[in-house]
Amino acid sequence: MSAGIGFAKRYNRAAILFLSPALVFVFAFVAYPVAYAGWLSLFRWDGASAPQFLAAGNFVRLAGDAIFWQALFRNILVALSAIVLQVFLALAIAYCLVRIVPAFSRIFLFFYLVPVMVSEICIGLLWRFMYNPYFGLVNAALSAIGLDSLKRGWLGESATAFSAVVVVMSFTYLGLYVLLFVAAVRNVPEGVYEAAEIDGAGEFRKFFSITMPMVWDAVRANSLLAIIGSLKTFSLVFVLTNGGPNHASEVVSTYLYKMGFGSFEMGYAATIGFAQMVLTALGAWIAFRYLKRVGAGAGAWS
Amino acid sequence: MTSVRRWNLTSTIVLAVLTAHVLMVIFPFVWMIYSTFKTNREFMRSVWSLPKSFSLDAYVGAWSGGALGGYAVNSLLIMAGATMITVILATLAGFALSAYRPRWLPAVELSMTAAMAIPAYVALVPLVVMLRGAGLLDTHLGVILPTAAFNVPVSIFIMQAFFNTLPRDLFDAARMDGASEWKIFLRVALPIARPAMFTVAIVNMIWVWNDFLFPVVFINSPARKTLPVGLTDFVGEHITNYPVMLAAILIAAIAPLILFVFFERQITAALIGGAVKE
C-alpha cells in the first residue's frame, strides 16, 4: 500500500485526535497526581491548615523510619513469594493441565479463576474466618489431623501474621497465572514433544527441557506482572491484618494509608508513596541493566 | 491438535493431585455457601458440619437492614460510569495505536505501560486534594474519574490487541472511497469492535465492582459507600452472627461470579490480551 506524504500527515493528525482523550485523562488522574505527590512530599501538612515547607525533611525522616523500610522489605518478600508460589507453581499446573490431563483443563481452570473474580475484600473477610482461632477452618483442620499443638491465632500473632497473608495472596492470584501460562503452553508445537517422546523423555524432562525454555518469555512477563502486583498490594492486607499486629505485616500501602488518613500526615504519606515509586523504578533500572549484561554474557554461550 | 494420549499412571497421579489442590482452592467458597444455611447456634456447635435444615435466616438477616442493597446501588452506579468512560477512551486509543502507528507511538505505549505499573496509592493524597478542590470528594463522580483513569491503560492494550487482528485493507478500502478517518472509525471500526468493547466492559465491570482503595478513601457518607467498603462496616457490626456475616460476603461476591460464569470465554481472552502487552 503506497501511502503518500499526505496520507502520513492525515494519519498523524487522526492518531493524535483519537489518542488525546485517553492521554489527557490518564495525565490528569495518574501522571499529574504522581508528580503532585513529589511536590507534597516537601511539606508537613495535616490536610487542613497551611502546609509548612520542610525541604528534604520528610525524606530525612523516611530514611530513619524503620517501619517504612520493614514495610518495603515486606513488599519485596511478597514479590519473591509471588514468583515462587504464583508464577512457577502456576506454570507447573498449566503444564499438567495442557499436557497431561487436557480433558479436565477447562473445568480446572474455571475453578482456579474463581478467586481472581471475587473482590479481595470478600476473600479477605472469608479468610479471616478461616484463620479465626475459635471458629476457623485452619485450626479445625489441624485438630482433625491431630496437630492441635500447631493451633494458633494466625493473623493475631506477630510470628505468623505476614506468612498467613502471603498464603492468602497465593490462593487469590494463582489462577490468573495458570490462565496466562495455559495460553502460552498451548502455543508450544506438538511436534517438539513428539520428538522428545520418541527419544524416551518423561514428563519432568519434557517440562524442564521443552516447556520451560519455550515459554520463558511468558515466565519473564508474568514474573514482572507478579512484581508489579506485589508492590500494589493493599486491600488484602488491609482487611486481613491492617498491617498488624504491631506492624508485623505492614506493607508500604497500609503504612501510607495510616499516615495519611489515620494520623493526617498528608505530606509524609505523599513522601512514602513517592519514595517507594522512585526506589522501585531505580531497582527496576538496575535490574534491567544487570540482566542485560548477564544476557549479553550468556549470549556468548548460546 | 493434541494427539490422542494413553491414560497412564502419571495422568492418574496428576489428576489426583490437581483435584486435591482445586478442592483446597474452592473449599473456602463451598464452606461459606453451606454455612450460610445454618443457624448461628448450629454454626457455633460445629464449623465443619453441613446444615441440618436449610435455614434462610442468614440471608434475611443480611438483607434486613437494607444497607447492603444501598451499597450495591452505589457500586452499580460507579461501575457503570467508570466502565463507560474506560470503554470509550480505550476504543478510540486502541484503534489509533493499531491503525496508524506513527513514529511517536512507542512513546505512548511506554507511558501507558508505566502508568499500569504505578500503584494507585501513590496518587492517593494528591487525588484527595484535587477532588476536594473540585468539590468531588465524597461523590460518586469523584470515584469514577480516577478509577477509570487507572483502568484505561490496560484496556487500551486489550483493544489494541483486538484491532491488530483485523486486516488493514479493511480501513484502506474505506479510505479509497473517500471516507474521513472519523467516519472510518465510526462506520467501519466501531461495528466490528463491538465484541471486543463488550469484553473490555465486562472485565472493567468486575474490576470496578471489586475496587476498594479509591472508594474507601474518597467516600465518607455511609449512604454513598460501595459494596466492598460497606461490607467491612456491616461485618464489623454483626460480629457475633457468623452465618449472617458469611451471607453478606456471599451477596457481595455474587455479581462478579455471575458475570464470570456467563462470559468466561470473553473474560479469559481479555485477561490474556491485557497481560501479553506487559
Side-chain angles (χ1 to χ4, degrees), chain A residues 32-233:
Chain A
Y32 174 73
V34 167
Y36 196 0
W39 171 244
L40 280 172
S41 70
L42 304 175
F43 296 87
R44 169 182 292 146
W45 188 42
D46 60 9
S49 51
Q52 183 189 344
F53 186 70
L54 283 186
N58 279 327
F59 289 95
V60 173
R61 177 178 168 192
L62 192 76
D65 187 343
I67 296 172
F68 169 74
W69 293 106
Q70 280 165 13
L72 187 64
F73 179 65
R74 262 184 224 104
N75 272 105
I76 294 167
L77 284 182
V78 168
L80 292 176
S81 79
I83 288 172
V84 178
L85 293 176
Q86 292 167 37
V87 175
F88 278 93
L89 184 60
L91 177 57
I93 292 171
Y95 176 82
C96 291
L97 289 182
V98 175
R99 300 290 319 168
I100 305 180
V101 289
F104 298 91
S105 66
R106 211 177 132 84
I107 182 77
F108 277 14
L109 190 55
F110 179 88
F111 285 131
Y112 277 122
L113 280 167
V114 165
V116 178
M117 300 301 148
V118 176
S119 86
E120 291 164 312
I121 293 305
C122 292
I123 302 245
L125 290 171
L126 178 56
W127 273 84
R128 251 162 54 176
F129 268 89
M130 304 287 291
Y131 284 130
N132 184 301
Y134 311 108
F135 304 106
L137 285 190
V138 175
N139 280 347
L142 287 173
S143 279
I145 54 172
L147 291 172
D148 284 86
S149 58
L150 290 179
K151 284 166 71 173
R152 62 190 70 238
W154 298 94
L155 293 170
E157 294 176 22
S158 297
T160 52
F162 181 60
S163 312
V165 171
V166 167
V167 168
V168 181
M169 286 174 175
S170 173
F171 165 89
T172 310
Y173 308 118
L174 178 71
L176 177 63
Y177 298 100
V178 176
L179 169 71
L180 299 177
F181 277 126
V182 162
V185 172
R186 278 201 182 123
N187 283 335
V188 178
E190 181 65 26
V192 189
Y193 291 111
E194 278 165 5
E197 268 162 37
I198 290 166
D199 293 340
E203 297 296 349
F204 275 100
R205 190 62 204 267
K206 283 188 279 179
F207 176 74
F208 285 108
S209 302
I210 298 174
T211 309
M212 278 265 253
M214 291 198 79
V215 300
W216 195 248
D217 277 344
V219 173
R220 278 210 320 234
N222 291 348
S223 300
L224 193 65
L225 208 60
I227 293 169
I228 291 171
S230 306
L231 294 170
K232 288 182 178 181
T233 191

Side-chain angles (χ1 to χ4, degrees), chain B residues 122-160:
Chain B
V122 175
L124 214 50
V125 175
L127 280 172
V128 167
V129 178
M130 289 164 63
L131 292 173
R132 191 161 54 192
L136 290 176
L137 209 57
D138 203 24
T139 68
H140 289 151
L141 190 61
V143 177
I144 289 171
L145 296 176
T147 301
F150 273 86
N151 287 343
V152 157
V154 66
S155 304
I156 289 180
F157 286 134
I158 299 173
M159 287 311 300
Q160 184 194 12

Side-chain angles (χ1 to χ4, degrees), chain B residues 140-212:
Chain B
H140 289 151
L141 190 61
V143 177
I144 289 171
L145 296 176
T147 301
F150 273 86
N151 287 343
V152 157
V154 66
S155 304
I156 289 180
F157 286 134
I158 299 173
M159 287 311 300
Q160 184 194 12
F162 166 77
F163 282 117
N164 280 344
T165 64
L166 300 178
R168 301 186 73 187
D169 299 354
L170 207 65
F171 305 126
D172 286 328
R175 264 177 214 120
M176 293 303 164
D177 296 340
S180 69
E181 297 302 319
W182 178 242
K183 266 231 169 77
I184 290 170
F185 174 77
L186 273 187
R187 298 274 167 78
V188 185
L190 210 53
I192 316 172
R194 224 174 275 155
M197 291 168 73
F198 181 72
T199 298
V200 173
I202 299 276
V203 290
N204 269 281
M205 281 157 76
I206 293 176
W207 289 336
V208 178
W209 183 272
N210 289 339
D211 195 23
F212 182 74

Side-chain angles (χ1 to χ4, degrees), chain A residues 114-115 118-132 135-138 155 168 171-172 235-236 239-240, chain B residues 24-36 43 231-232 235 242-243 245-250 252-253 257:
Chain A
V114 165
V118 176
S119 86
E120 291 164 312
I121 293 305
C122 292
I123 302 245
L125 290 171
L126 178 56
W127 273 84
R128 251 162 54 176
F129 268 89
M130 304 287 291
Y131 284 130
N132 184 301
F135 304 106
L137 285 190
V138 175
L155 293 170
V168 181
F171 165 89
T172 310
S235 306
L236 266 184
V239 73
L240 282 170
Chain B
M24 274 165 64
V25 168
I26 219 70
F27 187 72
F29 297 105
V30 175
W31 173 74
M32 169 168 73
I33 292 167
Y34 76 64
S35 294
T36 57
F43 183 91
L231 183 67
T232 57
V235 167
Y242 299 98
M245 283 163 66
L246 289 170
I249 297 171
L250 188 63
L257 281 178

Side-chain angles (χ1 to χ4, degrees), chain B:
Chain B
M1 195 178 86
T2 321
S3 61
V4 180
R5 302 181 54 85
R6 269 174 309 138
W7 194 256
N8 55 27
L9 186 63
T10 317
S11 321
T12 314
I13 294 170
V14 165
L15 186 64
V17 172
L18 282 182
T19 306
H21 186 234
V22 161
L23 286 177
M24 274 165 64
V25 168
I26 219 70
F27 187 72
F29 297 105
V30 175
W31 173 74
M32 169 168 73
I33 292 167
Y34 76 64
S35 294
T36 57
F37 297 115
K38 292 173 161 179
T39 62
N40 197 35
R41 196 187 303 164
E42 216 182 321
F43 183 91
M44 307 264 264
R45 207 178 302 133
S46 165
V47 288
W48 284 109
S49 64
L50 289 167
K52 289 199 182 61
S53 58
F54 279 83
S55 152
L56 291 175
D57 292 354
Y59 291 92
V60 175
W63 202 253
S64 64
L68 286 185
Y71 298 143
V73 170
N74 293 328
S75 278
L76 206 65
L77 289 172
I78 290 173
M79 177 184 93
T83 301
M84 224 150 26
I85 295 176
T86 307
V87 170
I88 293 168
L89 295 186
T91 306
L92 283 165
F95 173 73
L97 286 181
S98 174
Y100 302 124
R101 305 177 200 177
R103 265 176 305 157
W104 44 268
L105 277 193
V108 174
E109 287 184 311
L110 187 68
S111 34
M112 288 298 140
T113 311
M116 283 197 297
I118 291 173
Y121 57 83
V122 175
L124 214 50
V125 175
L127 280 172
V128 167
V129 178
M130 289 164 63
L131 292 173
R132 191 161 54 192
L136 290 176
L137 209 57
D138 203 24
T139 68
H140 289 151
L141 190 61
V143 177
I144 289 171
L145 296 176
T147 301
F150 273 86
N151 287 343
V152 157
V154 66
S155 304
I156 289 180
F157 286 134
I158 299 173
M159 287 311 300
Q160 184 194 12
F162 166 77
F163 282 117
N164 280 344
T165 64
L166 300 178
R168 301 186 73 187
D169 299 354
L170 207 65
F171 305 126
D172 286 328
R175 264 177 214 120
M176 293 303 164
D177 296 340
S180 69
E181 297 302 319
W182 178 242
K183 266 231 169 77
I184 290 170
F185 174 77
L186 273 187
R187 298 274 167 78
V188 185
L190 210 53
I192 316 172
R194 224 174 275 155
M197 291 168 73
F198 181 72
T199 298
V200 173
I202 299 276
V203 290
N204 269 281
M205 281 157 76
I206 293 176
W207 289 336
V208 178
W209 183 272
N210 289 339
D211 195 23
F212 182 74
L213 182 65
F214 286 163
V216 80
V217 175
F218 299 158
I219 289 185
N220 289 315
S221 313
R224 295 199 195 100
K225 284 184 179 175
T226 63
L227 199 45
V229 181
L231 183 67
T232 57
D233 291 357
F234 184 90
V235 167
E237 286 160 23
H238 295 74
I239 200 76
T240 50
N241 196 324
Y242 299 98
V244 168
M245 283 163 66
L246 289 170
I249 297 171
L250 188 63
I251 289 170
I254 207 76
L257 281 178
I258 291 173
L259 282 178
F260 179 55
V261 169
F262 279 102
F263 304 109
E264 185 204 340
R265 260 171 215 283
Q266 288 91 327
I267 290 167
T268 53
L271 292 178
I272 293 168
V276 163
K277 195 68 213 175
E278 284 164 279

